[in-house]
Short mmCIF file of all heavy atoms in Angstrom, two decimals:
data_model
loop_
_atom_site.label_atom_id
_atom_site.label_comp_id
_atom_site.label_asym_id
_atom_site.label_seq_id
_atom_site.Cartn_x
_atom_site.Cartn_y
_atom_site.Cartn_z
N GLY A 58 6.88 33.66 -0.94
CA GLY A 58 5.58 34.13 -1.47
C GLY A 58 4.68 32.98 -1.65
O GLY A 58 3.50 33.11 -2.00
N LYS A 59 5.08 31.77 -1.34
CA LYS A 59 4.18 30.52 -1.44
C LYS A 59 3.31 30.22 -0.29
O LYS A 59 3.75 30.51 0.96
CB LYS A 59 5.05 29.24 -1.71
CG LYS A 59 5.78 29.34 -3.10
CD LYS A 59 6.22 28.00 -3.51
CE LYS A 59 6.58 27.87 -4.99
NZ LYS A 59 7.50 28.71 -5.45
N THR A 60 2.26 29.59 -0.61
CA THR A 60 1.30 29.19 0.57
C THR A 60 1.75 27.77 0.87
O THR A 60 1.74 26.94 -0.17
CB THR A 60 -0.07 29.23 0.22
OG1 THR A 60 -0.34 28.73 -1.07
CG2 THR A 60 -0.59 30.79 0.16
N VAL A 61 2.03 27.33 1.99
CA VAL A 61 2.51 26.02 2.38
C VAL A 61 1.83 25.39 3.51
O VAL A 61 1.42 26.03 4.54
CB VAL A 61 4.07 26.20 2.88
CG1 VAL A 61 4.65 24.88 3.06
CG2 VAL A 61 4.84 26.94 1.76
N ILE A 62 1.56 24.08 3.24
CA ILE A 62 0.91 23.28 4.43
C ILE A 62 1.95 22.23 4.77
O ILE A 62 2.55 21.59 4.01
CB ILE A 62 -0.45 22.81 4.09
CG1 ILE A 62 -1.04 21.94 5.28
CG2 ILE A 62 -0.27 21.79 2.77
CD1 ILE A 62 -2.42 21.85 5.27
N ASP A 63 2.21 22.08 6.19
CA ASP A 63 3.13 21.12 6.62
C ASP A 63 2.31 20.16 7.40
O ASP A 63 1.72 20.33 8.51
CB ASP A 63 4.04 21.82 7.63
CG ASP A 63 5.13 20.89 8.29
OD1 ASP A 63 5.13 19.66 7.83
OD2 ASP A 63 5.86 21.46 9.09
N ILE A 64 2.19 18.98 6.77
CA ILE A 64 1.33 17.94 7.24
C ILE A 64 2.19 17.01 8.06
O ILE A 64 3.14 16.57 7.71
CB ILE A 64 0.64 17.17 5.96
CG1 ILE A 64 -0.24 18.11 5.15
CG2 ILE A 64 -0.23 16.00 6.51
CD1 ILE A 64 -0.75 17.60 3.95
N ALA A 65 1.55 16.61 9.21
CA ALA A 65 2.28 15.88 10.31
C ALA A 65 3.52 16.72 10.72
O ALA A 65 4.55 16.31 10.74
CB ALA A 65 2.71 14.49 9.81
N CYS A 66 3.12 18.02 11.13
CA CYS A 66 4.18 19.04 11.38
C CYS A 66 4.87 18.85 12.72
O CYS A 66 5.88 19.42 12.82
CB CYS A 66 3.52 20.51 11.33
SG CYS A 66 2.36 20.74 12.64
N GLY A 67 4.31 17.95 13.54
CA GLY A 67 4.94 17.70 14.84
C GLY A 67 4.93 19.17 15.56
O GLY A 67 3.99 19.81 15.64
N GLU A 68 6.13 19.32 16.19
CA GLU A 68 6.24 20.67 16.94
C GLU A 68 6.64 21.75 16.08
O GLU A 68 6.89 22.88 16.63
CB GLU A 68 7.10 20.45 18.17
CG GLU A 68 8.44 19.80 17.97
CD GLU A 68 9.41 20.66 17.24
OE1 GLU A 68 9.44 21.89 17.52
OE2 GLU A 68 10.25 20.12 16.48
N GLY A 69 6.48 21.73 14.78
CA GLY A 69 6.63 22.75 13.90
C GLY A 69 8.15 23.07 13.44
O GLY A 69 8.26 24.13 12.81
N PHE A 70 8.83 22.03 13.48
CA PHE A 70 10.28 22.19 13.01
C PHE A 70 10.45 22.74 11.54
O PHE A 70 11.08 23.78 11.29
CB PHE A 70 11.16 20.97 13.14
CG PHE A 70 12.58 20.90 12.84
CD1 PHE A 70 13.52 21.28 13.80
CD2 PHE A 70 13.01 20.68 11.64
CE1 PHE A 70 14.76 21.24 13.56
CE2 PHE A 70 14.32 20.61 11.40
CZ PHE A 70 15.24 20.95 12.20
N TYR A 71 9.75 22.08 10.69
CA TYR A 71 9.88 22.45 9.28
C TYR A 71 8.89 23.79 9.01
O TYR A 71 9.26 24.49 8.13
CB TYR A 71 9.59 21.37 8.26
CG TYR A 71 10.95 20.53 8.32
CD1 TYR A 71 10.86 19.29 8.83
CD2 TYR A 71 12.04 20.93 7.70
CE1 TYR A 71 12.02 18.45 8.97
CE2 TYR A 71 13.21 20.15 7.79
CZ TYR A 71 13.21 18.91 8.38
OH TYR A 71 14.28 18.14 8.23
N SER A 72 7.80 23.89 9.69
CA SER A 72 6.85 24.99 9.54
C SER A 72 7.68 26.26 9.79
O SER A 72 7.62 27.23 8.96
CB SER A 72 5.82 24.90 10.44
OG SER A 72 5.11 23.75 10.39
#
Side-chain angles (χ1 to χ4, degrees):
K59 290 196 164 55
T60 51
V61 182
I62 185 157
D63 180 6
I64 299 172
C66 67
E68 48 76 34
F70 184 86
Y71 286 107
S72 306

